[in-house]
């Protein structure tokens, strides 16, 4: 006798196609053999496929074919005298069909299939008990059913496998009856609940409950886990894979239902159990003209929108559509059901998997902080609009860095950030230069050669010698990555893109007038002699964080110079720093030495600024700090300095830190003017975002 560690039962139910022929039955035997090693088995079985229909139809030819199929199975599964014995037994059953009352003929299919399995398992050496479901399962009486089954098993404990026909039961008059078409699943659940089985397995010919009927929607996929409620919702609305009444007994007894594929036992399957739903849309069931989209905690409001627009796109008019019980119910003309299922399944279940874009953020100043916040707070919107999920997978300050492709990176490692990024960033990642480093640009080419895109807000990285700039641009092209730096001029204003577009369409730039120094714009815009001094206004701008760290970079024109270099190169002009004439606002001597000396000198210059202002105002001009690129007699000239602008000039009306760029081209009679907020950490962050996502 076998020693068992577990006295608990496993209930295995096989459907008609799982026992359709000898090959399929052998597959069943393999599965039973494996499961039997774990504990006692109750094997519940349907009639061989097509058998119930044939018995109901009563057509002689069909019945003869069924008889022949059973004989074939026996001939393949048994040999010698045993074969003759089993054939005889089955022959006997078949002849009883003819004698049985019309309404009882249908109960023979399960008798035939289970008797064959019983004999085969016995032949393999198992202790097998065939259980007569016509005496044990009482129609519409769960209590009696449980009592009878558990008693029958208690009285016959010494068996390995109990074989029970599915579908059939005792009717109210005591005569054989059935549990309704597809009822074998329900039989299995009753047996499982009666013996408090530890496992209930429904073996069928599809890989579990799927997101839609795979015969109608080839893209359907297995739902790995779902709740009793969702399974019931699917089953009672047309998902034939499971007979709806099966769910209740299993749920009451707290037994998980596994739905598995006999023909791919190791392939995907579904497990139905308490609270197992993955929140969202679960699956689509349908029958005739109704479609049910099962949801678990999904927004039905969103669902209605998705469903309506999917049908509209497919050119289908729904007869009705409503949200009920956490899901959606739809009615369509039967003729368009298939088309509607395809469209709905696509909209609900074939959404593109989210694409994570790994970001490696260099710099920890105001822009980096604003960008981090923005990435977090716009996550859902970004996903909705672009299907992308932005994930900061690396960050650094000037000394240390951290990289983590899964979680939030912790800055704790010393070394070269870019070098580590090259080692571990997935292709398609984006390296963001939000530093003000002079040397970080040297990493750009190696990064791009490693398939990493670059977005920069660091104008120092672009205002390098032209040769270096050209190398970076070609590295981007050759490696199929992007190098974007819209933020470097006019923050969020779409300046570089517009200029590049013109240049790329071979429209030659005749001049650029860029009023792009926020510091100088703010000071010159608000400067009124006698009220505020030029030097106090510069100090205020410094305090507000508007200037570069060293405000002499602004006043000395260095910042504007970098912007003009970037602008010109974007327009296709090979400008070098030395080509730009900077008309100094203050004498060169003041730009060197200590800051104190600089401010003192600036204060002493106040009368110079006053005179400049008054002279301009008397003629109706305003003062603006303008970076200019101009083509004259076939040559480009670039200069930066304080200029007088008249009322019709776009820069005349600038306020605060606004920027303005005016581009004249050979083709257009009117200039392109772009004007708007030119600074701010938030603006810079949003410009970086748009460079990443563009
Ligand atoms: N043989 C029955 C039918 O075809 C029961 C079942 O297969 O579940 O309906
Ligand atoms: Mg079935």
């Amino acid at each position: 006798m076998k020693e068992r560690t577990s006295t608990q039962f496993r209930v295995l139910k096989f459907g008609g196609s799982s026992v359709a022929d000898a090959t399929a039955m052998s597959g069943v035997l393999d599965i039973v053999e494996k499961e039997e090693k774990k504990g006692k088995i109750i094997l519940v079985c349907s009639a061989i496929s097509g058998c119930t229909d044939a018995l109901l139809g009563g057509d002689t030819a069909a019945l003869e074919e069924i008889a022949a199929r059973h004989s074939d199975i026996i001939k393949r599964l048994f040999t010698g005298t045993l074969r003759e014995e089993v054939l005889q037994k089955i022959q006997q059953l078949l002849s009883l069909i003819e004698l049985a009352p019309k309404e009882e003929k249908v109960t023979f299919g399960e008798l035939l299939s289970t008797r064959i399995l019983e004999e085969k398992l016995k032949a393999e050496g198992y202790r097998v008990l065939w259980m007569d479901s016509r005496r044990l399962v009482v129609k519409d009486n769960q209590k009696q059913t449980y009592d009878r089954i558990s008693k029958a098993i208690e009285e016959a404990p010494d068996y390995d496998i109990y074989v029970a026909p599915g579908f059939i039961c005792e009717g109210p008059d005591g005569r054989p009856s059935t549990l309704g078409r597809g009822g074998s699943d329900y039989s299995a659940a009753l047996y499982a609940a009666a013996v408090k089985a530890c496992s209930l397995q429904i073996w069928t010919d599809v890989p579990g409950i799927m997101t839609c009927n795979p015969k109608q929607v080839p893209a359907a996929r297995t739902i790995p886990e779902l709740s009793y409620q969702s399974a019931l919702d699917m089953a009672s609305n047309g998902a034939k894979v499971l007979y709806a009444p099966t769910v209740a007994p299993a749920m009451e007894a707290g037994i998980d239902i596994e739905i598995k594929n006999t023909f791919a036992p190791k392939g995907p399957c579904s497990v139905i159990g308490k609270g197992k739903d993955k929140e969202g849309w679960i699956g689509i069931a349908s029958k005739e003209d109704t479609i049910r989209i099962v949801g678990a905690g999904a927004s039905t409001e969103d669902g209605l929108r998705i469903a309506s627009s999917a049908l509209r796109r497919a050119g289908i008019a729904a007869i009705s559509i409503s949200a009920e019980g956490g899901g959606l119910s739809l009615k369509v003309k039967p003729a368009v059901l298939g088309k509607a299922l395809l469209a709905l399944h696509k909209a609900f279940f074939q959404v593109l998997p989210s694409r994570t874009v790994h970001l490696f953020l260099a710099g920890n100043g105001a822009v980096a902080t604003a960008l981090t916040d923005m990435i977090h707070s716009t996550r859902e919107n970004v996903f909705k609009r672009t299907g992308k999920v932005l994930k900061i997978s690396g960050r650094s300050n000037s000394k240390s860095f951290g990289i983590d492709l899964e979680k939030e990176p912790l800055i704790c490692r010393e070394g070269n950030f870019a070098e580590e990024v090259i080692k571990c960033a997935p292709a398609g990642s984006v390296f963001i230069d939000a530093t003000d480093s002079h040397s970080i640009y040297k990493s750009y080419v190696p990064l791009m050669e490693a398939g990493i895109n670059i977005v920069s807000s660091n104008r120092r990285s672009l205002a390098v010698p032209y040769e270096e700039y050209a190398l970076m641009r070609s590295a981007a092209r050759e490696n199929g990555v992007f190098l974007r730096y819209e933020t470097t001029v006019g923050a969020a204003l779409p300046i570089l893109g517009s200029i590049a577009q013109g240049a790329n369409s071979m429209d030659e730039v005749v001049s650029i007038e860029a009023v792009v120094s926020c510091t100088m714009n703010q000071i010159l815009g608000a400067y009124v002699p006698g009220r505020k001094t030029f030097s106090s206004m510069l100090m205020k701008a410094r305090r507000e964080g508007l200037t570069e760290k060293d405000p002499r970079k602004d006043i000395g024109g260095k910042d504007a110079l970098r912007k003009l270099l970037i602008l010109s190169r974007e327009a296709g002009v090979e400008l070098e720093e030395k080509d730009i004439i900077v008309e100094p606002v203050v004498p060169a001597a003041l730009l060197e030495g200590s800051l104190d000396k600089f401010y003192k000198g600036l204060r002493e210059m106040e009368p110079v600024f006053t005179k400049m202002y008054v002279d301009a105002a008397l003629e109706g001009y305003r003062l603006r700090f303008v970076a200019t690129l101009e083509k004259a007699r076939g040559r480009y000239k670039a200069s930066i300095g304080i200029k007088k602008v008249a009322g019709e000039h776009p820069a005349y009306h600038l306020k605060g830190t606004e920027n303005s760029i005016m581009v004249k081209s050979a083709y257009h009679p009117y200039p392109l003017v772009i004007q708007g907020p030119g600074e701010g950490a938030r603006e810079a962050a949003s410009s970086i975002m748009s460079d990443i996502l563009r």
Side-chain angles (χ1 to χ4, degrees), residues 262-499:
T262 314
F263 305 102
K266 290 199 179 116
C269 65
S270 298
V271 182
I272 302 162
K274 193 171 172 220
K276 283 203 189 292
D277 278 327
K278 191 168 153 279
E279 203 168 291
W281 297 105
I282 303 292
I284 306 179
S286 69
K287 53 184 171 196
E288 288 138 39
D289 58 347
T290 63
I291 297 171
R292 173 76 180 158
I293 307 178
V294 176
S299 155
T300 48
E301 210 174 286
D302 281 355
L304 287 173
R305 220 186 47 244
I306 297 168
S308 308
S309 72
L311 292 180
R312 204 179 324 113
R313 275 199 304 275
I316 296 167
I319 296 166
S320 70
I321 169 166
S322 62
E324 287 159 32
L328 309 177
S329 297
L330 295 91
K331 248 189 210 316
V332 295
K333 289 206 186 95
V336 297
L337 183 88
K339 204 174 158 201
L341 287 175
L342 286 167
L344 291 167
H345 189 270
K346 190 167 200 173
F348 282 86
F349 297 100
Q350 285 159 254
V351 278
L352 283 175
S354 78
R355 200 167 79 76
T356 300
V357 180
H358 294 278
L359 306 178
F360 297 86
L361 174 57
N364 66 338
V367 173
T369 308
L371 180 65
T372 306
D373 289 348
M374 193 172 285
I375 285 169
H376 288 142
S377 64
T378 60
R379 171 156 275 136
E380 260 171 50
N381 255 326
V382 166
F383 176 64
K384 260 194 211 148
R385 295 181 60 101
T386 66
K388 291 179 188 167
V389 175
L390 300 184
K391 150 99 179 63
I392 299 180
S393 296
R395 49 168 77 246
S396 75
N397 56 34
S398 52
K399 286 179 227 71
S400 323
F401 69 89
I403 291 177
D404 193 325
L405 295 181
E406 303 293 324
K407 300 188 293 271
E408 277 285 310
L410 275 178
I411 300 185
C412 59
R413 294 168 61 188
E414 307 230 323
N416 186 312
F417 182 45
E419 271 171 24
E420 286 304 308
V421 172
I422 288 169
K423 279 188 214 149
C424 63
S429 298
V430 183
F431 183 89
I432 301 162
D433 176 4
T435 71
D436 51 15
S437 156
H438 280 282
S439 56
I440 193 169
Y441 80 92
K442 292 188 183 128
S443 305
Y444 281 20
V445 170
L447 280 162
M448 290 188 279
E449 283 169 352
I452 299 159
N453 302 291
I454 290 173
V455 170
S456 181
S457 64
N458 178 11
R459 60 186 74 96
R460 286 172 177 80
S461 293
L462 281 308
V464 290
Y466 186 83
E467 201 183 334
E468 306 257 9
Y469 165 87
L471 271 175
M472 296 193 286
R473 295 279 303 234
S474 65
R477 256 193 328 272
E478 280 161 19
N479 295 290
V481 296
F482 58 74
L483 165 63
R484 292 173 183 159
Y485 42 89
E486 183 61 78
T487 319
T488 55
V489 183
L493 296 180
I495 295 169
L496 298 180
S498 311
I499 292 177

Side-chain angles (χ1 to χ4, degrees), residues 87-131:
L87 268 175
Q88 225 167 29
K89 269 191 188 156
I90 294 303
Q91 221 62 62
Q92 219 169 4
L93 269 175
L94 287 166
S95 59
L96 285 176
I97 299 175
E98 276 161 55
L99 306 171
K102 194 169 180 291
E103 65 281 5
E104 286 175 27
K105 291 189 198 296
V106 70
T107 61
F108 280 81
E110 271 72 7
L111 299 179
L112 292 164
S113 63
T114 51
R115 284 300 188 186
I116 296 176
L117 282 167
E118 176 204 10
E119 293 301 335
K120 182 67 189 173
L121 287 165
K122 274 185 184 161
E124 306 227 313
Y126 293 104
R127 296 167 304 169
V128 183
L129 182 68
W130 187 86
M131 305 190 76

Side-chain angles (χ1 to χ4, degrees), residues 13-16 46 181-185 202-204 240-243:
K13 179 262 166 178
F14 290 87
S46 295
R181 292 309 304 269
S184 294
D185 295 347
I202 309 277
W203 290 87
T204 177
K240 289 214 187 70
V241 56
L242 183 68
Y243 186 49

